[in-house]
Amino acid sequence: MRRARALALAVVLTGTPVSLGAQSGDRVPADSIVDAAPAPSGDVRIYLMTMGQGGAIWEHFGHNALVIQDPEKGTRVAWNWGLFDFNQADFVPRFLRGEMMYWMDGFDAGGTVRAYERQDRSVWLDELALTQEQARELQRFIEWNALPENRFYQYDYFVDNCSTRVRDALDRILGGALEAQFGDTSAGFGYRHETGRLTRRAILDYLGIDLLLGPRGDADRSQWEQMFTPIYMRDRLLEVTVPDGSGGQTPLVAGSRQLYEGTRPPPAEVPPRVWPTFLLVGLLVGGAFVALGMLAARSRTLGRLPLAALGGAWSLLAGVVGLILFFVHWTDHVWMYGNENILQMSPFSVILAVGVPLTVLRTAPPRFTRTLAWITASLAVVGLLAQVLPGIDQRNGAFVAIAVPAHLGLAWALTHLAERRAKATTLEA
């Protein structure tokens, strides 16, 4: 369980919108189905099932499935493309490389609904106004997709996930009508905005995604692309019309029902605004470095241990993040490429995590540590000034706000401490 939680946190921090959905243990007999009117004359009926947000860290983005009711077989199967398993062979190495393998499978619709009820997650069921030819074609395609040799795919956070697979399957049998309607219509925001609003009430998850998501997450996306989130896709499908067979148009969604209403509040409309808080924290941390540097310079005991501990901890945090942002370019985590936060969280800080405590406690020469501290501070300032340049448009103001004053305060503290020590040495001589 502990390993699963740690890996799930890692999944969320790299922006992975997945839901485990109903697992094999939730299978129930085929005649136990959600309550609905029987299909006339043996017709196959297709439903979009959409699940709301959950409490687990990988459930913030909701989930969806396509439900196929086949009266001839006596089944109603919920087909789910969002399955993964922490116990898969090489799951961790493949996750670190960005080569996550997901798969799809079918589960009894009634068991699926009950699984989400137990998680207190809202469930909507929308019947789709498809012709029998389209419904049968979709059923054949999904059953082909579910074959062992076809069910696995390489997951991508935004362009190939559980929701886009549902979108693409519907678009396929609608002759490209969905992409034609939504592909050229701007949603008015990018992936960062959508992930931010959906994780707003889980602030640590939000901050992790915001920190690691690179500039590709800021470009405005089409409504077609934003269907990577299930709830957004459901809202768009409610707007779609299809031919009614007599020369007119009819809504794609023929009828909607909410099978279960969870007690959680609805998703936020906008991401949180955290940069003022981060600026305050950055000023407090930077100010603490200045105050501790002055105190350590006046006394051989007071201030040194706190400065060594705080300076080492801040540098370790910044350095580890910087190393992640550097080495990610050798993986398939393309949405983290070119992350401007590497200027705020420099890999050089890993060296400072060791150098600062040793220097403050007089066990290492100060010049190298002081110089490196000013280099990391200068990089952070460059990241701030670069915000006005064209093409430098990553929305990372919160991390600039906390990093610049913190790095400057640490560099100043080390410089002041070194200067006072040098002066004291001269006077003693």
Side-chain angles (χ1 to χ4, degrees), residues 70-404:
D70 189 337
E72 293 180 358
K73 297 179 181 179
T75 59
R76 185 176 294 157
V77 181
W79 295 98
N80 173 3
W81 279 262
L83 301 172
F84 67 93
D85 187 354
F86 293 124
N87 296 316
Q88 283 176 278
D90 299 324
F91 179 90
V92 174
R94 285 188 288 100
F95 169 75
L96 294 176
R97 295 193 303 266
E99 300 171 357
M100 295 165 287
M101 296 304 296
Y102 283 55
W103 72 92
M104 61 90 69
D105 201 353
F107 302 89
D108 176 77
T112 300
V113 173
R114 287 193 293 275
Y116 284 95
E117 287 179 353
R118 288 194 295 270
Q119 299 173 30
D120 192 33
R121 298 175 65 179
S122 297
V123 181
W124 295 268
L125 193 68
D126 300 303
E127 183 172 3
L128 303 182
L130 303 178
T131 66
Q132 272 305 286
E133 181 181 356
Q134 291 171 328
R136 296 286 184 181
E137 179 186 352
L138 180 60
Q139 184 180 35
R140 287 192 296 270
F141 169 73
I142 290 177
E143 290 175 349
W144 169 87
N145 196 178
L147 294 175
E149 62 270 25
N150 300 328
R151 66 176 54 185
F152 289 89
Y153 68 98
Q154 184 165 331
Y155 185 91
D156 184 283
Y157 314 130
F158 301 116
V159 301
D160 198 358
N161 67 12
C162 58
S163 186
T164 63
R165 288 267 163 164
V166 171
R167 176 200 68 188
D168 294 347
L170 292 176
D171 193 52
R172 183 178 185 273
I173 58 99
L174 290 172
L178 298 183
E179 186 172 11
Q181 178 168 341
F182 298 110
D184 295 326
T185 305
S186 173
F189 49 83
Y191 293 142
R192 188 185 306 277
H193 176 280
E194 190 69 354
T195 58
R197 76 176 187 88
L198 293 175
T199 56
R200 178 167 181 163
R201 295 186 176 91
I203 192 65
L204 293 180
D205 297 338
Y206 162 76
L207 293 176
I209 293 173
D210 201 37
L211 175 63
L212 297 177
L213 184 59
R216 297 186 184 194
D218 293 299
D220 284 347
R221 299 291 172 174
S222 68
Q223 294 181 352
W224 166 263
E225 292 171 304
Q226 290 293 353
M227 290 183 191
F228 83 95
T229 59
I231 298 174
Y232 184 90
M233 186 177 76
R234 178 179 185 264
D235 290 341
R236 299 288 74 75
L237 292 186
L238 293 173
E239 304 170 1
V240 176
T241 59
V242 294
D244 61 5
S246 59
Q249 295 286 315
T250 188
L252 174 62
V253 176
S256 299
R257 289 179 296 146
Q258 186 164 5
L259 301 180
Y260 178 76
E261 183 176 2
T263 60
R264 293 181 176 86
E269 294 295 326
V270 295
R273 187 169 176 262
V274 299
W275 75 263
T277 301
F278 269 45
L279 177 59
L280 176 60
V281 172
L283 292 172
L284 290 174
V285 173
F289 284 139
V290 170
L292 291 173
M294 296 174 65
L295 186 60
R298 295 176 181 177
S299 171
R300 294 185 177 182
T301 55
L302 295 177
R304 291 185 185 178
L305 285 177
L307 178 59
L310 182 60
W314 164 254
S315 298
L316 181 61
L317 172 63
V320 168
V321 173
L323 287 175
I324 293 173
L325 297 180
F326 178 75
F327 285 111
V328 75
H329 292 84
W330 282 268
T331 73
D332 289 341
H333 291 288
V334 297
W335 299 101
M336 297 168 63
Y337 287 4
N339 196 317
E340 296 167 24
N341 285 322
I342 199 169
L343 295 174
Q344 315 305 322
M345 305 293 186
S346 169
F348 296 141
S349 290
V350 169
I351 303 174
L352 287 177
V354 178
V356 168
L358 294 180
T359 298
V360 171
L361 299 177
R362 290 180 176 269
T363 57
R367 178 173 296 181
F368 174 78
T369 304
R370 184 173 72 245
T371 301
L372 191 58
W374 280 111
I375 290 174
T376 58
S378 299
L379 290 173
V381 172
V382 168
L384 169 63
L385 299 178
Q387 298 297 311
V388 301
L389 299 177
I392 307 296
D393 51 6
Q394 181 174 329
R395 297 172 186 173
N396 63 335
F399 303 103
V400 173
I402 193 173
V404 170

Side-chain angles (χ1 to χ4, degrees), residues 2-12 57-58 86 91-92 95:
R2 184 175 299 172
R3 177 172 177 265
R5 287 181 179 273
L7 289 173
L9 178 60
V11 168
V12 171
I57 58 179
W58 58 81
F86 293 124
F91 179 90
V92 174
F95 169 75

